[in-house]
Amino acid sequence: MSEARELMVTDPQRTIQVEVLGEGVPVVLIPSLGRGAQDFDDLKERLTDAGYQVILPLPRGIGQSTGSTTGLTMQDIAADVYAASQAVTDKPVVVVGHAFGNRVARTFASEYPQHTRGVILLAAGGSTNIPSAIVKALRDSFRKDLPEAEHLAAVQLAFFAEGNDPALWRDGWYPEVAMYQEAALKATSLESWWAGGVAPMLIVQPLEDRVAPPENADQLLKAFPERVQVQMLANAGHAVLPEQPQQVAEMIINWLNEHL
């Protein structure tokens, strides 16, 4: 296990709790909608063992991270990540965004291209419509009033491939955080972040992702073939990290070793 240290990054707009592990090229991990850094518990250790520095900023409303949650845009959320990364290093970083975090990563790379060395997207949605039944399951995943069986059924449908265990994500849901993140997304034009800057990009695309189906990755690859690489991942859905932790880490580390 790598020894972690914590920072509190404070300015007039925000206070962001940041976990830092390891040394080497800095890699910033950005979690899914309404979820925190615990989703990266496995990946962060594999990255530090491979010789990379890991930076994990907690979104506002999780842990000790605070700040206004009204009237935000995706640029405001990306600015939190930027403030966290700058508190750790002045080197350009690789941003890794999972699910909703892929949008934050692409916003970061679009707003701070000179501070972005690479972009890695896990379950990268953003430009295709989601069926209404999947939208309902996604929203029900954040409902704390549902019976456990009904809640896990929703988590299964929205996030996990058939046969994978949704109990891995029984906990870790922050509905208030999800609400302000969704509001920030609606307040921001797709065009301002969709391209994800100009740095090299890896997309890890789960083949059974119902929220962010492969069409999203296909669109980015067709638009930017010179800098986008797509790796397809079987037996994984939108959750992806708890479903295939070793394969996800290997894809990321191999790409980092090749591109940095």
Side-chain angles (χ1 to χ4, degrees):
M1 295 283 287
S2 301
E3 185 175 348
R5 60 190 177 98
E6 284 198 355
L7 303 176
M8 298 301 296
V9 179
T10 301
D11 63 32
Q13 281 74 45
R14 62 186 66 82
T15 295
I16 303 299
Q17 181 181 351
V18 188
E19 182 182 9
V20 185
L21 300 89
E23 302 294 336
V25 174
V27 180
V28 183
L29 304 181
I30 308 168
S32 179
L33 181 77
R35 295 189 63 85
Q38 77 278 356
D39 291 345
F40 294 114
D41 283 351
D42 182 272
L43 180 59
K44 71 184 183 184
E45 294 299 334
R46 295 179 190 266
L47 284 169
T48 53
D49 288 346
Y52 293 92
Q53 181 179 62
V54 174
I55 302 170
L56 291 133
L58 285 179
R60 301 183 191 194
I62 299 179
Q64 300 178 63
S65 292
T66 61
S68 174
T69 56
T70 59
L72 299 181
T73 65
M74 293 300 292
Q75 284 75 24
D76 294 315
I77 294 176
D80 291 350
V81 177
Y82 176 72
S85 68
Q86 286 293 104
V88 177
T89 180
D90 58 2
K91 298 176 183 177
V93 302
V94 177
V95 281
V96 180
H98 173 220
F100 174 82
N102 110 84
R103 296 165 165 86
V104 182
R106 286 151 78 179
T107 307
F108 181 103
S110 298
E111 294 294 309
Y112 310 104
Q114 70 275 25
H115 295 283
T116 306
R117 191 166 179 179
V119 181
I120 299 176
L121 311 179
L122 312 177
S127 58
T128 62
N129 292 326
I130 307 172
S132 58
I134 305 304
V135 172
K136 182 180 186 303
L138 178 62
R139 300 201 182 287
D140 285 349
S141 298
F142 288 92
R143 288 183 56 185
K144 298 180 178 180
D145 61 325
L146 290 178
E148 182 177 19
E150 190 175 340
H151 177 252
L152 288 179
V155 174
Q156 169 73 58
L157 181 58
F159 289 95
F160 283 77
E162 197 68 34
N164 292 343
D165 186 6
L168 294 168
W169 269 20
R170 174 183 284 109
D171 302 313
W173 304 96
Y174 294 84
E176 295 82 5
V177 174
M179 287 178 63
Y180 84 71
Q181 289 175 334
E182 286 191 320
L185 184 61
K186 290 178 181 177
T188 308
S189 70
L190 178 68
E191 293 76 16
S192 71
W193 58 265
W194 188 80
V198 295
M201 178 183 293
L202 169 66
I203 303 172
V204 176
Q205 176 61 54
L207 287 175
E208 297 182 55
D209 194 336
R210 303 179 188 94
V211 175
E215 291 86 343
N216 291 277
D218 291 342
Q219 288 180 14
L220 279 168
L221 180 59
K222 289 176 181 176
F224 309 105
E226 71 287 350
R227 65 180 178 91
V228 173
Q229 179 180 342
V230 178
Q231 292 282 332
M232 297 295 184
L233 182 59
N235 194 30
H238 202 53
V240 69
L241 287 165
E243 295 179 281
Q244 299 293 343
Q246 182 174 343
Q247 288 191 54
V248 169
E250 288 176 353
M251 287 178 175
I252 291 174
I253 291 167
N254 288 341
W255 187 88
L256 290 172
N257 290 341
E258 290 173 5
H259 287 80
L260 303 182

